[in-house]
Amino acid sequence: MNIQSAIIKGAKTLEKKLILSPYLDSEILMTKAINKDKKFILINADKNIKEKDLNFFQKLIGERSKGKPVAYLTNKKFFWNSEFIVTEDTLIPRPDTEIIVENILNLTKYKTNLNILDIGVGSGCILLSILKERKYYRGTGIDISKNCLKITKINAIDLEVNSRLKLYKTNVDKFTLGKYDLIVSNPPYIKRHILKYLDKDVAEFEPKLALDGGIDGLSEIRKVIKKSSELIKKNGIFILEIGFDQKNKVINILKKEGFYIISALKDLAKNDRCISCIKI
Ligand code: GLN
């Protein structure tokens, strides 16, 4: 069988299982199976695929049919300006989260030297994207998942920002180290009873630890805000990713902890997604 026919056959299998972008997914999984890029596939569409590669490809199609996200099958996801390694221990970086990076870059346009903390650093997509853009910034990432921190570290080495990064395995409540010019967090903020109704790809495959925000979705956000108000310098900037229905409640918590709200931004789907504030 040639590469093109295998991709079409794979896409048909995915289509039958109601996967939303069957052809694109099949093509990406082929790049993984034969370890080549998309350009190679375009140029060599009529070349025969080795039996070993075809078997691997069919295995990947089988897993995708069951809903496993493409990013977990390829272990890669492009975010902001870089490709990140992801595993099932980390949330898959979302395009919606790029608004957080964009906002941080806007708010710090004229600052040359900042010390940043990322609470719940995950794959590192937010913090490492900032460090990559700003050569003189330093970053600290904390997470309760040791496996996540291993991935952050690999990504930091790949992006050549590792020398400006410190990582700690800790619960946000217990972390007391340092004072920061800027704190960012994309904490778990989904209401626990909603978790099972998320898209199947998310609900069945992404880490609950990175999604579960307790009964009202705000239990981790509350902890993050409280701790940030202690760890942030006066006039420091605090940026938080929030759920689509959490803006007013989160603003109230922030005000109580001594933050002045700069802005509340919407994501690509026009949902409230990012709150920025200053510690006064
Ligand atoms: N935006 C993610 C989702 O909707 C949730 C991320 C989070 O809880 N921090 O799946």
Side-chain angles (χ1 to χ4, degrees):
M1 190 176 325
N2 71 28
I3 293 180
Q4 179 70 3
S5 332
I7 291 174
I8 292 172
K9 198 161 170 259
K12 286 198 176 129
T13 308
L14 297 182
E15 201 170 12
K16 275 192 217 124
K17 297 286 177 178
L18 306 177
I19 299 294
L20 284 180
S21 47
Y23 191 83
L24 179 67
D25 289 7
S26 182
E27 204 175 50
I28 297 172
L29 295 178
M30 179 59 79
T31 64
K32 169 79 179 178
I34 62 175
N35 197 21
K36 301 276 186 209
D37 61 10
K38 260 187 167 178
K39 200 164 110 199
F40 177 94
I41 288 183
L42 278 175
I43 299 169
N44 298 286
D46 58 347
K47 296 264 163 63
N48 264 345
I49 175 167
K50 287 184 208 139
E51 195 181 325
K52 180 172 108 315
D53 292 346
L54 183 62
N55 288 342
F56 184 27
F57 174 69
Q58 281 161 345
K59 182 173 159 270
L60 293 171
I61 291 286
E63 290 191 61
R64 181 71 193 112
S65 299
K66 290 184 204 136
K68 189 160 181 176
V70 171
Y72 288 150
L73 292 168
T74 59
N75 296 115
K76 281 184 213 162
K77 180 75 186 178
F78 200 84
F79 177 87
W80 193 250
N81 268 330
S82 309
E83 189 154 77
F84 286 81
I85 304 270
V86 293
T87 67
E88 282 171 67
D89 292 307
T90 68
L91 205 63
I92 300 168
R94 312 281 202 261
D96 290 337
T97 301
E98 288 175 336
I99 184 116
I100 308 279
V101 174
E102 191 181 359
N103 192 27
I104 294 176
L105 292 173
N106 280 334
L107 290 169
T108 58
K109 221 177 254 168
Y110 304 107
K111 314 234 185 223
T112 45
N113 207 328
L114 294 184
N115 192 16
I116 302 181
L117 173 67
D118 185 334
I119 300 175
V121 66
S123 62
C125 67
I126 300 175
L127 182 60
L128 306 185
S129 295
I130 301 292
L131 293 181
K132 182 90 189 156
E133 295 272 352
R134 299 283 160 82
K135 303 288 173 241
Y136 297 103
Y137 290 12
R138 284 157 295 129
T140 298
I142 66 169
D143 210 292
I144 41 175
S145 159
K146 193 167 131 220
N147 289 343
C148 265
L149 292 175
K150 283 186 193 160
I151 301 300
T152 321
K153 177 103 178 158
I154 296 170
N155 282 322
I157 293 168
D158 286 352
L159 269 64
E160 298 175 341
V161 298
N162 191 43
S163 62
R164 291 180 283 128
L165 178 73
K166 287 193 183 126
L167 295 171
Y168 299 95
K169 184 200 167 302
T170 173
N171 195 309
V172 60
D173 297 327
K174 303 212 173 91
F175 188 69
T176 52
L177 210 65
K179 282 276 180 189
Y180 301 89
D181 304 294
L182 189 148
I183 301 182
V184 60
S185 184
N186 175 11
Y189 54 68
I190 309 286
K191 292 188 189 87
R192 190 166 294 159
H193 71 278
I194 301 286
L195 281 174
K196 56 178 179 292
Y197 303 112
L198 297 176
D199 281 351
K200 186 179 163 212
D201 290 23
V202 180
E204 284 185 22
F205 294 93
E206 297 210 60
K208 297 278 176 301
L209 207 58
L211 295 166
D212 184 350
I215 289 165
D216 67 353
L218 293 167
S219 62
E220 298 307 311
I221 286 190
R222 277 192 205 93
K223 285 189 215 165
V224 168
I225 294 177
K226 190 157 184 16
K227 183 50 81 175
S228 296
S229 86
E230 293 163 22
L231 292 171
I232 201 162
K233 290 183 191 168
K234 192 168 162 20
N235 296 326
I237 301 170
F238 179 47
I239 317 271
L240 190 61
E241 180 168 324
I242 56 160
F244 70 96
D245 56 352
Q246 294 174 331
K247 182 174 120 181
N248 293 335
K249 282 185 190 138
V250 170
I251 286 180
N252 282 336
I253 307 172
L254 284 165
K255 284 183 178 164
K256 278 191 199 124
E257 290 295 334
F259 288 98
Y260 170 81
I261 312 301
I262 312 173
S263 64
L265 301 178
K266 293 185 190 296
D267 64 17
L268 305 165
K270 305 261 181 290
N271 289 317
D272 289 319
R273 187 63 65 206
C274 171
I275 306 247
S276 323
C277 49
I278 288 194
K279 176 73 178 177
I280 41 179

